[in-house]
Amino acid sequence: MPVMHFHIVWPDQTQTRCYSPSLVVQDYLQVGHSYPLNDFLQRSREALNIASERVRAKYGFACSQAMDQLAEIEHLAAPFQPQADAQVLVTAFS
């Protein structure tokens, strides 16, 4: 399976390089687009869960790295939840 990374900028301008075991994330996120925090979280959940299930279909087990990445995204997003206008920018795929 082709691994991909997606690079994001949080509302405080910190950057994170995120892992996906599948290119499916490109169906959910666009480079150069800012997403409201909750929308970004929902898109990340869907994409990473689908990616993990693709690994399961191919290898017989879910992708723990995808689930770890989702947990990290949710953890990093938590401090921004109180901000009604919090946005996450997708800067690159690699």
Side-chain angles (χ1 to χ4, degrees):
M1 296 203 107
V3 168
M4 99 168 310
H5 293 93
F6 54 105
H7 303 257
I8 59 174
V9 178
W10 295 100
D12 66 356
Q13 301 307 302
T14 58
Q15 299 180 27
T16 301
R17 179 177 178 244
C18 302
Y19 167 85
S20 173
S22 166
L23 302 179
V24 71
V25 74
Q26 291 178 318
D27 296 339
Y28 288 84
L29 300 172
Q30 267 186 328
V31 171
H33 191 81
S34 288
Y35 296 90
L37 181 64
N38 288 330
D39 184 31
F40 173 77
L41 290 173
Q42 184 59 36
R43 289 169 181 271
S44 296
R45 284 181 196 113
E46 288 181 39
L48 290 170
N49 277 307
I50 290 169
S52 180
E53 287 305 310
R54 287 183 178 180
V55 171
R56 182 189 309 276
K58 186 167 184 173
Y59 298 107
F61 53 86
C63 180
S64 61
Q65 279 186 286
M67 296 299 90
D68 290 347
Q69 181 61 73
L70 179 56
E72 180 185 14
I73 288 170
E74 291 181 343
H75 173 75
L76 292 171
F80 306 113
Q81 288 290 346
Q83 297 177 20
D85 61 345
Q87 299 272 319
V88 179
L89 173 64
V90 179
T91 59
F93 292 132
S94 61

